[in-house]
Amino acid sequence: MSQVAKTILVPVDQSENSERAVHYVLTRVCRAGVDALHLLHVQDSTHLSVSIAGGDMAVPPAVVDEMSRRASSEASSLVRKFLAEADAAKVTAQGYYALGDAREVIVARAAAIRADLIVMGTRGMGALSRAMLGSVSDYVVNHAACPVLIVRPPPPPSSDRPQQQQQAMQQAPLDQSSQRVLLLAVDNSDGSRLALRYALEEFCRADDIVILLAVLPTPPWAAYGEYYNQEMIERLERAELQEADAMLEGFAEQVRAMHIVCKKEVIRGDVRETICYSAEQFGADVLLMGCRGLSGLKKMLLGSVSDYCAHHANVPMLIVKPQEHASVDLLSPRVVAVGHSAEES
């Protein structure tokens, strides 16, 4: 558990998704008086471009200047609103706005300030959910050099979900001292070991509860039972459970060494769906997963499990991948400082 101050970047806009992300980072991530929060609003530069049919008509410079002035004023007001929230939470914060492609500006700004974490809000799971999430959040997850925490909206009311659990998924009161439940979905991979190391060194607090989850896929005898007798099935199941428990115990020893409460869970089922379901059932404050590094197959590799969970889990999800330079060569965007919270004064 590091006591070193973290630099956390939170992109914001006018949506409830940003409200939710800022509230989450102030109550569940940032340590008051320790971490540094950077709030960034990116104004799409294309809104200043006016298309005239035929292209023969020039847009008066005065009109362009007025549009730019209004955009800057709106951006400044938006960032100042979030700075006030940070000030109320006694969190040190700085605010900026910039023009450009939001995806590229966020990645470039994170690199420029050497962000330790990016926290982003996303839309819910509507008909266009995959395209919506992919437009900005998915790009940042794939290209940012640091871990990214995705904050999704709470699920709609469901008769299958207890009322108490539904209420727990709504916004928590502004209390940074409340205990957190971290669910780490792990397997015997370097990605899982990286995620655990990040959790213990950079994210966990002393009073957190860490749940280690191993998901065993559906065994072959479930589909081809006629080829297995009962004794063989029981023997294979015991061996598989013992192997999973031994793996979890190796992770758990590292958690207990940090004097953090740790629980182990082994569940059988579809890996992706079981992780999402378990995160909700255990009341996790965050689902934390590791993924492979970025290669030519980066989208397929990242998308297999962590990408699915980022789109379907009803709890915030922190994705950790090998540390590297931003995977795109971007010029540092011009950002305009709006101000800072009173805590920084």
Side-chain angles (χ1 to χ4, degrees), residues 265-287:
E265 296 286 345
V266 180
I267 301 177
R268 189 178 293 283
D270 178 87
V271 176
R272 303 178 306 172
E273 294 179 0
T274 301
I275 291 173
C276 293
Y277 177 80
S278 298
E280 190 172 336
Q281 291 300 303
F282 293 139
D285 289 282
V286 62
L287 166 62

Side-chain angles (χ1 to χ4, degrees), residues 12-224:
V12 297
D13 57 22
Q14 298 90 344
S15 69
E16 291 184 2
N17 309 311
S18 285
E19 294 270 5
R20 189 174 296 107
V22 171
H23 180 88
Y24 181 86
V25 80
L26 291 176
T27 58
R28 313 304 282 165
V29 180
C30 270
R31 296 166 296 175
V34 179
D35 297 323
L37 182 64
H38 291 250
L39 299 161
L40 172 67
H41 174 66
V42 184
Q43 192 81 38
D44 188 351
S45 57
T46 59
H47 83 289
L48 295 177
S49 301
V50 181
S51 177
I52 305 298
D56 297 325
M57 214 170 158
V59 179
V63 173
V64 175
D65 290 344
E66 177 61 18
M67 292 173 64
S68 179
R69 186 192 66 77
R70 288 185 180 180
S72 297
S73 177
E74 291 172 0
S76 180
S77 296
L78 175 70
V79 173
R80 289 185 187 281
K81 181 188 76 168
F82 289 119
L83 283 172
E85 293 184 20
D87 189 45
K90 302 186 184 303
V91 170
T92 300
Q94 299 180 49
Y96 315 87
Y97 68 86
L99 293 177
D101 183 311
R103 303 172 305 170
E104 297 181 353
V105 173
I106 292 169
V107 171
R109 187 60 186 167
I113 64 173
R114 298 183 180 275
D116 298 296
L117 177 67
I118 299 173
V119 180
M120 300 185 66
T122 70
R123 298 171 175 83
M125 292 302 295
L128 297 177
S129 61
R130 184 64 182 86
M132 288 176 172
L133 182 61
S135 62
V136 178
S137 304
D138 199 48
Y139 180 94
V140 173
V141 167
N142 278 281
H143 294 86
C146 63
V148 179
L149 198 159
I150 303 296
V151 181
R152 298 187 60 251
S158 168
S159 58
D160 298 330
R161 189 179 294 111
Q163 183 177 6
Q164 183 178 8
Q165 189 176 9
Q166 293 187 43
Q167 293 173 346
M169 290 180 179
Q170 303 303 315
Q171 285 191 341
L174 199 62
D175 180 10
Q176 295 172 319
S177 63
S178 57
Q179 192 175 54
R180 305 182 304 178
V181 176
L182 277 59
L183 177 64
L184 273 73
V186 298
D187 57 19
N188 198 19
S189 67
D190 290 339
S192 289
R193 285 184 278 273
L194 174 67
L196 178 65
R197 186 165 66 249
Y198 176 84
L200 294 178
E201 296 178 358
E202 306 292 341
F203 195 78
C204 280
R205 299 173 183 170
D207 61 345
D208 285 340
I209 296 176
V210 173
I211 301 176
L212 298 170
L213 172 67
V215 181
L216 301 180
T218 303
W221 52 85
Y224 304 99

Side-chain angles (χ1 to χ4, degrees), residues 280-311:
E280 190 172 336
Q281 291 300 303
F282 293 139
D285 289 282
V286 62
L287 166 62
L288 199 153
M289 293 181 65
C291 67
R292 299 170 177 84
L294 297 177
S295 66
L297 297 176
K298 65 183 180 183
K299 191 58 187 172
M300 183 179 69
L301 293 173
L302 183 59
S304 59
V305 177
S306 55
D307 188 61
Y308 178 92
C309 293
H311 291 81

